[in-house]
Amino acid sequence: MTAAALAQNPPKPILQLVGVRKTFGDFAAVERIDLDIRDGEFLTIVGPSGSGKTTLLRMLAGMEAPSDGEISLKGIRINDMPPSQRPTCLVFQSLALFPHKTVGENIEFPLKVKGVAPAARKQRALELLRLVRLPETHYGKNVMKCSGGERQRVALARALAYDPEVLFFDEPLSALDYKLRKVMEKELKDLHRESGKTFIYITHSLEEAMVMSDRIGVMQSGRLVQVGTPEEIYTRPSTKFVSEFMGEVNVFDAAHENGVWRIDGVEGPANLALPTAMTSAQKAAVVVRPEFMRFVDAPGGADNCLKGVVFNQYSLGSRIQYQVRVAEKTFLLELSRANARKAEGDEALIGWDARDAIVVEA
Amino acid sequence: MSELTLPHAEERPTGTRLEARSTPAARKKVSRGLLSSLPVLVVLLLGFLAPLATVAAYAFATPRTFDVFRSFTLINFETIFDPANTVWMSFAWSLGFAAATVVVLAIVAYPIAWGLARVFGRWAGFVSVLFVFPLFVSENVRLYGWTLFFIKNGVLDGTLKLLGGAGPEVLYTPGITLFGMVYVYLPFMLFPMVLGLAMVPKELVEAARDLGASRLMIWREVELPLAMPGIMIGMLLTFVLAVGAVAESKILGGQSVIVATHDIEIAFTYAQNWPLGSALALILTIIVGALSLIALTKLDLDRILGRR
């Protein structure tokens, strides 16, 4: 289903969280989360380490009980249902493969638990091997002799063998090298589409979340600060934290004085142009992406212009990143090589248009 | 069962020119390795191999003499394997006691080990100390303590008599010998077992539960096979120790049955027949060595040491 179709006709939630909290002593790892997880969606929870995302996932998987609030699966409260009875399955960060079992025995484990006959088990295991793109010859292989990528696939196949309605992923790709991670991200997305199951993935990498997810939830100190499609999160971050989490951005505080907006700690522009007229607020945080900043020839070349000095430039491959100091603040610009016409130490006039700025909660 | 590991000699390159250049360096490395292992080698040769060789040599000496290295005869073994000789019974008792000790200990120690590895948390250290503490007291003293506990008019019997009953007459039986062995060797089963159980990653148990497995299934499919190396080491250790045990049958068992080590002791002391004692010792060593080797081949030492 496309994002637009989802917005038009949202499927009913498979998992529903109402006021879910988890405290360890005085420390609240997860603070009052309300969230509807739609049937069949790929939802990624992103957040820095310690933001409570793993605790949230463990509550959904049944390995921790919420201190407060209610988790329901298809309308049935499952707060205290043990993981062995939930139609959900978690792919651990460590993968938690059984080291004393072969690839085939690992995949067949949930089937063995259910009492499926050996022949049927093997047949299903071979099907799953194909589905996760592993050769059938791996069936009898020692799982500890498999490579990192192969183990990922075995863990996936084992989870799918359980035939859960919801699959949870606790950063299983974090141990892989960059190239293999990129491949697995796309395969995971394909697998999501092919299996039609609900995937809930947690990661600290927004890049990973962007590639795979239908929706992204951003967590900060135990709270879910924004939930939306990757597009929404990218173009309309709701807070300074979310915008900074998206990667390198220019964020600065602005103050409203005598009818004009000014950037804190920077001379000029005398009247900061914002995307929408804001007259009631006293303070705001303004976010401008580095790719929306440019060098301008003369004041007036953009809605907002600032004068500074180039003090660093980095090659990002096809693009060049500049660091420009304006008074005590550093601004980032990302330009294509064709527009990269400044050198370190040069004075530069940088500018951006009002419509490219995003105003978020300070 | 000690294993002698010599440093590997550097593999020599095949080319003659290379060989000529690298030989001095390689020789230097080998000699340095040998040099640093020399103290251990000397201790092992003098302290372990030499006595063993002497015992082996004595086994083939003329009975009731000290003609070691000067006579060679199989007469000691003929005496032992003579159908009229009943010394095989003491071997049977020794091996039987050891096997029974291992089985009882495995059953008794598993729940305690599980508790230490999984449940007791920060109390685990304290509980461990409780189990280690008796080791600070001599084994014989502890066994005499149990004798005082079980003896007629002793702690148990006396107390029960005061209450108008009578204590069970358990002292000086094979059963109490087994009890003594289980008591003495418990720590040697317990701690390897704790280690084995502690090596089972908690996440694997969680994963198995998440995949729908019951407690029994988790135990059978995940916990037990993964803890097996530790359990096997505990079993091996207690078996070897229990085969060589003598104090339990003498003090608690009151010599109601004679175990193999007791026979060996008699041969060496009272009978002054060192060659016969050596022959008995050699046979026992071979039996225990063979059984241990079989067990060791089933053990994956690499996994225990965390190399895999």
Side-chain angles (χ1 to χ4, degrees):
Chain A
M1 226 183 284
T2 62
L6 272 168
Q8 286 283 310
N9 185 19
K12 60 180 195 311
I14 184 158
L15 270 168
Q16 207 165 16
L17 287 80
V18 181
V20 171
R21 282 184 86 223
K22 178 71 187 180
T23 51
F24 296 105
D26 291 338
F27 172 70
V30 170
E31 272 291 6
R32 267 179 233 97
I33 286 190
D34 299 301
L35 179 65
D36 282 0
I37 296 161
R38 299 164 189 161
D39 196 0
E41 79 171 321
F42 195 136
L43 174 76
T44 303
I45 306 284
V46 254
S49 48
S51 58
K53 56 191 194 303
T54 300
T55 310
L56 178 66
L57 195 76
R58 287 178 65 84
M59 283 193 282
L60 293 175
M63 285 155 201
E64 302 277 358
S67 314
D68 216 343
E70 188 160 307
I71 301 174
S72 43
L73 185 98
K74 290 182 164 176
I76 299 157
R77 183 188 147 101
I78 56 160
N79 279 28
D80 308 309
M81 189 188 276
S84 54
Q85 278 159 39
R86 295 188 187 200
T88 62
C89 185
L90 171 63
V91 177
F92 287 78
Q93 184 164 20
S94 68
L95 304 179
L97 293 171
F98 304 124
H100 57 300
K101 292 177 184 283
T102 62
V103 168
E105 286 168 343
N106 263 282
I107 299 172
E108 285 178 20
F109 183 81
L111 302 171
K112 196 172 174 184
V113 166
K114 278 182 191 159
V116 178
R121 266 180 357 219
K122 180 163 184 183
Q123 196 194 340
R124 179 76 185 127
L126 292 175
E127 275 170 32
L128 286 164
L129 277 176
R130 275 195 297 277
L131 185 68
V132 298
R133 297 170 178 83
L134 276 177
E136 287 187 6
T137 47
H138 272 54
Y139 180 83
K141 195 173 174 179
N142 180 341
V143 79
M144 299 315 279
K145 295 220 165 81
C146 291
S147 70
E150 287 170 345
R151 286 186 205 182
Q152 296 284 339
R153 294 183 164 98
V154 176
L156 258 170
R158 186 180 68 177
L160 288 167
Y162 184 59
D163 197 24
E165 305 209 21
V166 184
L167 268 102
F168 301 115
F169 298 87
D170 184 3
E171 303 199 46
L173 303 184
S174 57
L176 300 181
D177 63 70
Y178 183 80
K179 215 172 146 187
L180 188 55
R181 198 161 67 227
K182 291 283 132 200
V183 173
M184 291 302 295
E185 279 169 12
K186 299 205 166 93
E187 280 190 19
L188 211 54
K189 197 177 162 90
D190 289 346
L191 202 65
H192 170 245
R193 200 172 34 236
E194 285 165 33
S195 66
K197 296 185 187 301
T198 308
F199 279 30
I200 300 174
Y201 194 99
I202 70 164
T203 177
H204 60 263
S205 156
L206 201 85
E207 200 190 337
E208 208 168 282
M210 286 294 206
V211 173
M212 300 187 291
S213 325
D214 296 327
R215 282 200 306 163
I216 296 174
V218 183
M219 277 190 85
Q220 179 194 13
S221 5
R223 289 171 197 279
L224 207 48
V225 285
Q226 191 177 2
V227 183
T229 62
E231 175 74 11
E232 282 166 1
I233 301 270
Y234 187 78
T235 56
R236 293 196 296 281
S238 66
T239 70
K240 209 165 147 178
F241 173 82
V242 176
S243 66
E244 279 172 325
F245 202 70
M246 297 294 304
E248 290 183 299
V249 289
N250 296 295
V251 185
F252 44 85
D253 294 320
H256 196 203
E257 284 164 15
N258 308 325
V260 290
W261 282 93
R262 300 179 63 88
I263 301 173
D264 282 358
V266 174
E267 294 288 316
N271 187 0
L272 180 67
L274 294 173
T276 49
M278 290 185 30
T279 46
S280 57
Q282 289 301 305
K283 279 187 152 307
V286 179
V287 179
V288 184
R289 296 195 178 287
E291 62 266 32
F292 292 141
M293 292 263 197
R294 60 178 187 270
F295 292 123
V296 291
D297 298 323
D303 293 353
N304 298 296
C305 291
L306 290 171
K307 201 171 183 182
V309 177
V310 176
F311 84 98
N312 255 328
Q313 72 178 78
Y314 308 98
S315 171
L316 304 177
S318 62
R319 302 175 74 77
I320 305 274
Q321 187 183 71
Y322 284 95
Q323 285 187 325
V324 176
R325 281 211 90 117
V326 178
E328 292 301 301
K329 293 190 88 67
T330 303
F331 287 82
L332 289 174
L333 286 79
E334 237 179 79
L335 301 166
S336 64
R337 285 186 177 275
N339 296 325
R341 50 197 158 78
K342 294 278 179 188
E344 279 171 34
D346 288 357
E347 287 214 334
L349 201 56
I350 58 171
W352 71 94
D353 292 329
R355 64 184 147 85
D356 292 330
I358 306 159
V359 178
V360 296
E361 289 168 31
Chain B
M1 266 191 312
S2 270
E3 212 175 295
L4 236 159
T5 323
L6 284 167
H8 291 288
E10 287 275 292
E11 263 187 63
R12 293 193 177 182
T14 40
T16 25
R17 265 187 60 212
L18 265 172
E19 194 172 14
R21 253 194 298 170
S22 63
T23 303
R27 190 184 293 146
K28 207 173 170 190
K29 251 181 206 167
V30 170
S31 65
R32 199 180 285 165
L34 252 177
L35 209 68
S36 48
S37 63
L38 211 58
V40 181
L41 270 178
V42 169
V43 168
L44 278 175
L45 281 174
L46 290 181
F48 179 75
L49 227 51
L52 204 66
T54 313
V55 168
Y58 257 115
F60 298 97
T62 316
R64 291 172 208 285
T65 67
F66 295 94
D67 280 343
V68 66
F69 302 122
R70 283 197 303 263
S71 59
F72 184 86
T73 170
L74 292 175
I75 203 154
N76 297 310
F77 293 96
E78 274 170 35
T79 317
I80 293 165
F81 289 110
D82 185 344
N85 194 336
T86 54
V87 74
W88 64 269
M89 278 188 61
S90 59
F91 275 85
W93 274 113
S94 273
L95 293 169
F97 271 136
T101 304
V102 168
V103 171
V104 174
L105 271 178
I107 296 165
V108 170
Y110 193 86
I112 308 171
W114 199 82
L116 281 171
R118 289 283 155 83
V119 188
F120 299 161
R122 59 202 181 92
W123 292 99
F126 177 70
V127 177
S128 302
V129 169
L130 288 183
F131 280 101
V132 174
F133 201 68
L135 294 178
F136 297 152
V137 181
S138 150
E139 188 187 325
N140 283 5
V141 172
R142 282 183 285 146
L143 290 174
Y144 278 115
W146 280 116
T147 310
L148 286 177
F149 184 82
F150 283 118
I151 206 165
K152 227 174 186 41
N153 298 319
V155 178
L156 184 66
D157 189 47
T159 313
L160 286 173
K161 267 183 182 156
L162 278 179
L163 300 168
E169 294 201 10
V170 286
L171 209 56
Y172 310 136
T173 61
I176 201 78
T177 306
L178 180 63
F179 168 81
M181 286 183 172
V182 167
Y183 161 72
V184 168
Y185 299 122
L186 179 67
F188 300 94
M189 176 68 93
L190 184 63
F191 293 112
M193 225 178 211
V194 173
L195 207 69
L197 279 168
M199 275 181 357
V200 183
K202 238 176 86 191
E203 275 192 351
L204 292 192
V205 176
E206 266 185 349
R209 190 174 300 141
D210 191 39
L211 292 165
S214 62
R215 293 181 80 129
L216 183 70
M217 194 82 177
I218 293 170
W219 179 74
R220 205 183 66 199
E221 293 281 332
V222 180
E223 203 169 64
L224 194 62
L226 287 175
M228 214 49 191
I231 297 172
M232 287 287 280
I233 287 190
M235 287 177 140
L236 198 67
L237 206 61
T238 46
F239 182 80
V240 171
L241 287 169
V243 168
V246 65
E248 291 81 3
S249 75
K250 277 166 84 174
I251 297 171
L252 284 175
Q255 307 189 22
S256 55
V257 291
I258 304 291
V259 291
T261 24
H262 197 181
D263 264 339
I264 295 169
E265 193 188 301
I266 291 169
F268 271 102
T269 55
Y270 180 71
Q272 281 297 306
N273 193 349
W274 286 33
L276 180 69
S278 296
L280 287 169
L282 197 62
I283 292 170
L284 193 63
T285 308
I286 288 167
I287 293 172
V288 174
L291 288 172
S292 308
L293 269 178
I294 292 168
L296 273 173
T297 53
K298 309 229 173 212
L299 262 176
D300 193 343
L301 275 175
D302 277 346
R303 224 184 66 72
I304 297 167
L305 298 172
R307 286 202 211 109
R308 206 182 70 192

